[in-house]
Amino acid sequence: MTPEERKKLTSFLLLSLAGAVLLVSAVIGLLLWHATKQPVSGGDFTLNYQGQDWTFSSHAKDLNLLYIGYTKCPDVCPLTLSHAGEAFERLSAENKKDLQLIFVSVDSEHETPEEVAAYARQFNPDFIGLTGTKTALDQAVGLFHASYIVEKEPGSYLGYSIAHTDRLFFLDQKGHVIDVIQNPRSSDLILQKIKENL
Amino acid sequence: MIRTLALLALVLPFSFAQAAEKAASTNALEITNARIFTPMKGMKMTAGYGDLKNTSDKPLTVKVLDAKGFKAVELHESSHEDGKMKMKKVEEVKIEPTKTFSFKPGSYHLMFFGADPSVVKEGKMVPVEFDLNGTKQVVEFKVMPRTEMKMKK
């Protein structure tokens, strides 16, 4: 083998080795990414708004806030929605165009779509109040890894209460969760998160 | 018969005196920031909050009995359980001597049902009757808009 040929062979081997190292690194990286990536939470859903089907993907804005509760919840639901309403009031008209809040009532047995829509509007005229059949609600709520349980309370005047996830979800245009506030009780924090994600 | 009446005449003044004394000493409970959310439009339910101080030197068992302008009032507790906000009725709360127990959002609170809109109006006072160790005390709660409530939470 001539020195020239030996040089070419060495170069070829070095290049092959580098290529193999790159390939192995890429495969390992891909495997690690698959192993550690967070599952995508959220997605498209259809519920009822004032008696009509309301599909998220047809109404999605740049940033969408989602809260799950029920209108007869007198404590945390109205508090969260009033804080969110206050945060919205502090935004510019420009920001508000790219933003919406969706309140989903999981009390399909006792609340009508019209009641839920009217309830949500009281906190901000642009808030969207949705509900639906139990099947549609379960499907929608499940997308966000949220949950609710209707609990009978025969000793109480209302006769039931609903335990529900207490999180404010921030969704992108595809309905994917990009941020969350646990127990949202501060309009300052809601405003801050809106600005961070808008 | 005459003997019975005579006995009643002897006993009744003492009973009334005892009752009056008990009533005078019932202000064992002081409630500050006593407030009720104005019910949302179309809603008959709402919540009430306040700071309850036991000013006596004995433990106080507090039950809620009645609220003018509402069909029912109950003590409720909101709490986090298994990642969810859960609410349940409680029969009573106990307050140790000189201690303050707060009814606040996301915790213990009063639940009012069946609001009569002609009575439960923003700015009005609603008398709420409590049972304190078996003795009644009425405390007035102010009906307030939610925006003011947030500042006082």
Side-chain angles (χ1 to χ4, degrees):
Chain A
M1 189 180 284
T2 64
E4 189 64 26
E5 285 171 336
R6 193 173 292 144
K7 201 176 168 183
K8 277 185 180 170
L9 182 65
T10 309
S11 299
F12 174 75
L13 286 173
L14 280 173
L15 274 172
S16 301
L17 188 66
V21 168
L22 272 174
L23 190 67
V24 169
S25 302
V27 169
I28 290 172
L30 201 62
L31 288 173
L32 279 173
W33 178 73
H34 263 287
T36 57
K37 75 168 181 172
Q38 294 294 316
V40 175
S41 169
D44 199 12
F45 58 89
T46 298
L47 288 169
N48 194 310
Y49 177 63
Q50 298 190 121
Q52 304 289 323
D53 277 355
W54 191 96
T55 300
F56 177 82
S57 55
S58 307
H59 297 87
K61 294 207 172 180
D62 288 353
L63 185 63
N64 309 273
L65 277 60
L66 173 77
Y67 190 76
I68 295 162
Y70 64 116
T71 72
K72 289 188 178 64
C73 161
D75 191 32
V76 295
C77 293
L79 195 67
T80 298
L81 292 174
S82 62
H83 280 305
E86 196 180 294
F88 271 54
E89 276 172 30
R90 288 155 67 188
L91 285 164
S92 67
E94 189 69 23
N95 284 154
K96 280 188 218 172
K97 274 194 277 177
D98 306 323
L99 179 71
Q100 68 182 343
L101 183 140
I102 301 155
F103 171 69
V104 172
S105 168
V106 290
D107 193 358
S108 56
E109 201 179 326
H110 305 94
E111 293 168 5
T112 66
E114 288 77 11
E115 284 168 349
V116 178
Y119 175 82
R121 268 199 302 272
Q122 290 183 59
F123 298 93
N124 182 293
D126 296 325
F127 282 8
I128 310 286
L130 305 177
T131 188
T133 62
K134 189 180 182 309
T135 308
L137 285 167
D138 289 350
Q139 204 169 10
V141 167
L143 286 172
F144 301 96
H145 303 155
S147 61
Y148 67 95
I149 301 172
V150 180
E151 296 174 320
K152 300 286 175 204
E153 266 201 292
S156 171
Y157 181 87
L158 192 61
Y160 73 98
S161 71
I162 301 180
H164 59 87
T165 298
D166 181 27
R167 286 186 211 136
L168 189 59
F169 297 98
F170 290 71
L171 316 179
D172 65 12
Q173 284 179 317
K174 289 183 176 171
H176 293 153
V177 177
I178 52 172
D179 212 338
V180 170
I181 302 177
Q182 300 276 1
N183 324 127
R185 306 283 181 271
S186 156
S187 54
D188 289 340
L189 182 58
I190 295 170
L191 185 65
Q192 182 197 319
K193 289 275 185 187
I194 288 171
K195 286 180 174 172
E196 281 172 18
N197 289 292
L198 204 54
Chain B
M1 180 69 177
I2 293 170
R3 194 176 288 176
T4 309
L5 284 172
L7 192 64
L8 275 173
L10 274 172
V11 170
L12 277 177
F14 284 108
S15 302
F16 285 128
Q18 266 187 329
E21 194 185 343
K22 208 172 180 184
S25 65
T26 50
N27 289 341
L29 186 69
E30 263 180 25
I31 304 187
T32 47
N33 292 326
R35 56 204 195 272
I36 299 174
F37 282 135
T38 310
M40 302 295 296
K41 210 179 285 176
M43 304 300 296
K44 296 265 183 191
M45 302 168 52
T46 189
Y49 304 97
D51 301 312
L52 290 72
K53 185 174 184 185
N54 177 2
T55 57
S56 77
D57 55 2
K58 290 175 186 153
L60 207 56
T61 300
V62 181
K63 297 176 185 175
V64 66
L65 301 174
D66 191 32
K68 195 179 172 194
F70 291 95
K71 286 186 178 166
V73 58
E74 296 173 0
L75 292 173
H76 277 235
E77 181 192 9
S78 293
S79 60
H80 276 99
E81 220 173 279
D82 302 327
K84 288 187 277 294
M85 180 54 85
K86 186 185 167 89
M87 196 170 63
K88 65 176 180 196
K89 182 185 174 186
V90 292
E91 292 304 325
E92 59 190 35
V93 294
K94 286 191 166 56
I95 311 174
E96 292 303 313
T98 72
K99 297 291 180 194
T100 299
F101 188 99
S102 289
F103 282 178
K104 57 187 179 186
S107 180
Y108 285 89
H109 57 276
L110 291 166
M111 280 263 294
F112 298 89
F113 302 94
D116 175 352
S118 67
V119 178
V120 184
K121 286 181 179 169
E122 206 162 292
K124 296 278 181 194
M125 302 301 283
V126 168
V128 180
E129 189 177 45
F130 291 91
D131 178 302
L132 311 171
N133 292 350
T135 306
K136 291 174 183 178
Q137 182 180 328
V138 174
V139 177
E140 297 223 307
F141 279 63
K142 189 173 185 184
V143 182
M144 299 173 75
R146 204 164 287 277
T147 45
E148 286 178 49
M149 296 284 297
K150 278 185 295 183
M151 288 184 276
K152 293 201 171 214
K153 92 180 152 91

